[in-house]
Amino acid sequence: MPETCAPVLLPERGERLVREAYRKDFRERSAVLRDADSWKLERRQHFEEQGSPSRDALRRGDWEESLRLMEDRRDALAAAAREDERQGHAFHRVRLVEEPLTPYLQWELHSLRQQAQFGARVRVVSAESVAAVERSEPLPELVVLGGRTLFNILYSNAGHPQGAIRFTEPDIVAQWEHYIKSLYESGEEIASYFERVVAHLPAPTIPPE
């Protein structure tokens, strides 16, 4: 079972980064990682991701095209997996899930399952299992990079990316890394969850904008 309380995360103890500064900082810190683990906690059930043709097709309501375009990135995923192996870098992701699935989440679970086929470490955790932790507010969107940096990734209410808050104090990073690890250890492997819940679902219905 997941832990029944989460660490406190005070924005004033971190540094606010606009979107481009966050992306640049993340790339630079990730590039120098060697023999390190990273952890991601993903809570929101809808994101407006940018730069993904497959996501754009989903937005248009073309589910078959979305899945076809997802297949086109297999070479890129294989190359990324080889680079992570060269660096000794293992990236773990915890995906909190509410059911019934949103159209976005149905699409993302297809994506995560594909990533897992190339070695990504992804586990699914029911949002119900963290209900006690979320009495006052939902868990944040987080990445712990190499045990040294914690990013609280920020989004608008509609799910558009808005940068991040960067934390580097060792106690903050370690506490959240421990908490995300506990969620990961309680989770279900993405392949199992996908076959059990997602594989049989019809194409999602995209509401008109």
Side-chain angles (χ1 to χ4, degrees):
M1 291 293 292
E3 297 185 5
T4 56
C5 61
V8 175
L9 192 63
L10 301 175
E12 59 268 25
R13 292 183 67 179
E15 180 180 358
R16 179 72 162 86
L17 303 175
V18 298
R19 183 167 181 255
E20 287 308 314
Y22 158 62
R23 294 177 67 183
K24 180 175 183 291
D25 190 62
F26 187 98
R27 286 195 302 267
E28 291 174 350
R29 291 173 184 267
S30 181
V32 299
L33 290 177
R34 296 295 183 275
D35 302 318
D37 287 348
S38 295
W39 303 83
K40 183 170 186 178
L41 172 60
E42 201 170 23
R43 176 63 181 91
R44 292 179 61 97
Q45 305 298 289
H46 178 85
F47 294 105
E48 288 296 336
E49 293 189 9
Q50 301 173 358
S52 167
S54 176
R55 176 68 177 93
D56 292 341
L58 172 71
R59 195 176 286 110
R60 297 192 302 269
D62 192 341
W63 180 242
E64 293 303 320
E65 177 69 359
S66 178
L67 295 182
R68 187 193 68 76
L69 288 167
M70 196 179 289
E71 287 296 305
D72 289 347
R73 66 178 187 167
R74 285 185 170 270
D75 288 346
L77 290 175
R82 289 193 297 270
E83 179 62 15
D84 281 346
E85 184 176 3
R86 185 185 69 80
Q87 291 181 304
H89 180 220
F91 194 94
H92 306 74
R93 183 191 301 251
V94 174
R95 208 338 158 179
L96 286 168
V97 168
E98 297 176 15
E99 296 179 20
L101 304 177
T102 63
Y104 171 85
L105 194 52
Q106 184 177 342
W107 171 83
E108 189 192 35
L109 290 166
H110 275 265
S111 175
L112 294 176
R113 177 240 196 175
Q114 184 190 49
Q115 292 175 51
Q117 292 172 344
F118 290 88
R121 296 162 170 82
V122 185
R123 291 188 182 177
V124 175
V125 175
S126 166
E128 292 180 359
S129 68
V130 297
V133 178
E134 295 189 320
R135 287 195 182 100
S136 58
E137 60 182 353
L139 284 165
E141 307 291 325
L142 299 173
V143 175
V144 178
L145 197 57
R148 296 183 177 181
T149 311
L150 170 66
F151 292 103
N152 177 14
I153 310 170
L154 305 176
Y155 296 88
S156 70
N157 290 337
H160 295 280
Q162 295 188 325
I165 303 173
R166 180 181 61 204
F167 300 85
T168 55
E169 293 182 37
D171 62 325
I172 296 176
V173 176
Q175 288 169 15
W176 277 103
E177 183 177 60
H178 174 79
Y179 181 72
I180 300 172
K181 276 185 182 180
S182 76
L183 290 176
Y184 184 86
E185 290 167 359
S186 74
E188 180 178 358
E189 294 287 352
I190 180 64
S192 168
Y193 182 86
F194 185 91
E195 292 304 318
R196 185 171 61 82
V197 176
V198 184
H200 65 276
L201 294 177
T205 300
I206 309 300
E209 296 183 356

Coordinates of all heavy atoms in Angstrom, one line a residue, residues 51-80:
G51 N 3.9 19.4 -29.6 CA 4.9 18.8 -30.4 C 4.8 17.3 -30.6 O 5.8 16.7 -31.0
S52 N 3.6 16.8 -30.5 CA 3.4 15.3 -30.7 C 2.3 15.2 -31.8 O 1.1 15.5 -31.6 CB 2.9 14.6 -29.5 OG 2.4 13.3 -29.8
P53 N 2.7 14.7 -33.0 CA 1.7 14.5 -34.1 C 0.6 13.5 -33.6 O -0.6 13.7 -34.0 CB 2.5 13.9 -35.2 CG 3.9 14.5 -35.0 CD 4.1 14.5 -33.5
S54 N 1.0 12.5 -32.8 CA 0.0 11.6 -32.4 C -1.0 12.2 -31.5 O -2.2 12.0 -31.5 CB 0.7 10.4 -31.6 OG -0.3 9.5 -31.1
R55 N -0.5 13.1 -30.6 CA -1.4 13.8 -29.7 C -2.3 14.8 -30.5 O -3.5 15.0 -30.2 CB -0.6 14.6 -28.7 CG -1.4 15.5 -27.7 CD -2.3 14.7 -26.8 NE -3.0 15.5 -25.8 CZ -4.3 15.9 -26.0 NH1 -4.9 15.6 -27.1 NH2 -4.9 16.7 -25.1
D56 N -1.8 15.4 -31.5 CA -2.6 16.3 -32.4 C -3.7 15.5 -33.1 O -4.8 16.0 -33.2 CB -1.7 16.9 -33.4 CG -0.7 17.9 -32.8 OD1 -0.9 18.4 -31.7 OD2 0.3 18.2 -33.5
A57 N -3.4 14.3 -33.5 CA -4.5 13.5 -34.1 C -5.5 13.1 -33.1 O -6.7 13.1 -33.5 CB -3.8 12.2 -34.7
L58 N -5.2 12.8 -31.9 CA -6.2 12.6 -30.9 C -7.1 13.8 -30.7 O -8.3 13.7 -30.6 CB -5.5 12.2 -29.5 CG -6.4 12.1 -28.3 CD1 -7.3 10.9 -28.4 CD2 -5.6 12.1 -27.0
R59 N -6.4 15.0 -30.7 CA -7.2 16.2 -30.5 C -8.2 16.4 -31.6 O -9.3 17.0 -31.4 CB -6.2 17.4 -30.4 CG -6.8 18.7 -29.9 CD -5.7 19.8 -29.8 NE -4.8 19.5 -28.6 CZ -3.5 19.1 -28.7 NH1 -3.0 18.9 -29.9 NH2 -2.8 18.9 -27.7
R60 N -7.9 16.0 -32.8 CA -8.8 16.1 -33.9 C -9.9 15.0 -33.9 O -10.8 15.0 -34.7 CB -8.0 15.9 -35.3 CG -7.0 17.0 -35.5 CD -6.5 17.0 -37.0 NE -5.9 15.7 -37.3 CZ -4.6 15.4 -37.2 NH1 -3.8 16.3 -36.7 NH2 -4.2 14.2 -37.6
G61 N -9.7 14.0 -33.0 CA -10.6 12.9 -32.9 C -10.3 11.7 -33.9 O -11.2 10.8 -34.1
D62 N -9.1 11.7 -34.4 CA -8.7 10.6 -35.4 C -7.9 9.6 -34.6 O -6.6 9.6 -34.6 CB -7.9 11.2 -36.5 CG -7.7 10.2 -37.7 OD1 -7.9 9.0 -37.4 OD2 -7.4 10.7 -38.8
W63 N -8.6 8.7 -34.0 CA -7.9 7.7 -33.1 C -7.0 6.8 -33.8 O -5.8 6.5 -33.4 CB -9.0 6.9 -32.3 CG -8.5 5.9 -31.4 CD1 -8.7 4.6 -31.4 CD2 -7.7 6.1 -30.2 NE1 -8.1 3.9 -30.4 CE2 -7.5 4.8 -29.6 CE3 -7.1 7.2 -29.6 CZ2 -6.8 4.7 -28.4 CZ3 -6.4 7.1 -28.4 CH2 -6.2 5.8 -27.8
E64 N -7.4 6.3 -35.0 CA -6.6 5.3 -35.7 C -5.3 6.0 -36.2 O -4.2 5.4 -36.1 CB -7.4 4.8 -36.9 CG -8.5 3.9 -36.5 CD -8.1 2.7 -35.6 OE1 -7.0 2.1 -35.9 OE2 -8.8 2.3 -34.7
E65 N -5.4 7.2 -36.7 CA -4.2 8.0 -37.1 C -3.3 8.2 -35.9 O -2.1 8.2 -36.0 CB -4.6 9.3 -37.8 CG -3.5 10.2 -38.2 CD -2.6 9.6 -39.4 OE1 -2.9 8.5 -39.8 OE2 -1.7 10.2 -39.8
S66 N -3.9 8.5 -34.8 CA -3.1 8.8 -33.6 C -2.3 7.6 -33.2 O -1.0 7.7 -32.9 CB -4.0 9.1 -32.4 OG -3.3 9.4 -31.2
L67 N -2.8 6.4 -33.2 CA -2.1 5.2 -32.9 C -1.1 4.9 -34.0 O 0.0 4.4 -33.7 CB -3.1 4.0 -32.7 CG -4.0 4.1 -31.6 CD1 -4.9 2.8 -31.5 CD2 -3.3 4.3 -30.2
R68 N -1.4 5.1 -35.3 CA -0.5 4.9 -36.3 C 0.8 5.8 -36.2 O 1.9 5.3 -36.3 CB -1.1 5.1 -37.7 CG -0.2 4.7 -38.9 CD -0.7 5.3 -40.2 NE -0.6 6.7 -40.3 CZ 0.5 7.4 -40.5 NH1 1.7 6.7 -40.6 NH2 0.5 8.7 -40.5
L69 N 0.6 7.0 -35.9 CA 1.7 8.0 -35.7 C 2.5 7.6 -34.5 O 3.7 7.8 -34.5 CB 1.1 9.4 -35.5 CG 0.6 10.0 -36.8 CD1 -0.2 11.3 -36.5 CD2 1.7 10.3 -37.8
M70 N 1.9 7.0 -33.5 CA 2.6 6.6 -32.3 C 3.6 5.5 -32.7 O 4.7 5.4 -32.1 CB 1.6 6.1 -31.2 CG 2.2 5.9 -29.8 SD 1.0 5.3 -28.6 CE 0.0 6.8 -28.5
E71 N 3.2 4.6 -33.6 CA 4.1 3.6 -34.0 C 5.3 4.1 -34.7 O 6.4 3.5 -34.7 CB 3.4 2.6 -35.0 CG 2.3 1.7 -34.3 CD 3.0 0.8 -33.3 OE1 3.9 0.0 -33.7 OE2 2.6 0.8 -32.1
D72 N 5.2 5.3 -35.3 CA 6.4 5.9 -36.1 C 7.5 6.2 -35.2 O 8.6 6.5 -35.7 CB 5.9 7.1 -36.8 CG 5.0 6.8 -38.0 OD1 4.9 5.6 -38.4 OD2 4.4 7.7 -38.5
R73 N 7.4 6.3 -33.9 CA 8.5 6.7 -33.0 C 9.3 5.6 -32.5 O 10.1 5.8 -31.6 CB 8.0 7.6 -31.9 CG 7.1 6.8 -30.9 CD 6.6 7.7 -29.8 NE 5.9 6.9 -28.8 CZ 5.6 7.3 -27.6 NH1 5.9 8.5 -27.2 NH2 4.9 6.5 -26.8
R74 N 9.1 4.4 -32.9 CA 9.8 3.2 -32.3 C 11.3 3.3 -32.5 O 12.0 3.0 -31.5 CB 9.3 1.9 -33.0 CG 7.9 1.5 -32.5 CD 7.5 0.1 -33.0 NE 6.3 -0.3 -32.3 CZ 6.3 -1.0 -31.2 NH1 7.4 -1.4 -30.7 NH2 5.1 -1.4 -30.6
D75 N 11.8 3.8 -33.6 CA 13.2 4.0 -33.7 C 13.8 5.0 -32.7 O 14.9 4.8 -32.1 CB 13.6 4.4 -35.1 CG 13.4 3.3 -36.2 OD1 13.2 2.1 -35.7 OD2 13.4 3.6 -37.4
A76 N 13.0 6.1 -32.5 CA 13.5 7.1 -31.5 C 13.5 6.5 -30.1 O 14.4 6.8 -29.3 CB 12.6 8.3 -31.6
L77 N 12.5 5.7 -29.8 CA 12.4 5.1 -28.4 C 13.6 4.1 -28.2 O 14.2 4.1 -27.2 CB 11.1 4.4 -28.2 CG 9.8 5.3 -28.1 CD1 8.6 4.4 -28.0 CD2 9.9 6.2 -26.9
A78 N 13.9 3.4 -29.3 CA 15.0 2.4 -29.2 C 16.3 3.2 -29.0 O 17.2 2.8 -28.2 CB 15.1 1.6 -30.4
A79 N 16.5 4.3 -29.7 CA 17.7 5.1 -29.5 C 17.8 5.7 -28.1 O 18.9 5.7 -27.5 CB 17.8 6.2 -30.6
A80 N 16.7 6.2 -27.6 CA 16.7 6.8 -26.3 C 17.0 5.7 -25.2 O 17.7 6.0 -24.3 CB 15.3 7.4 -26.0

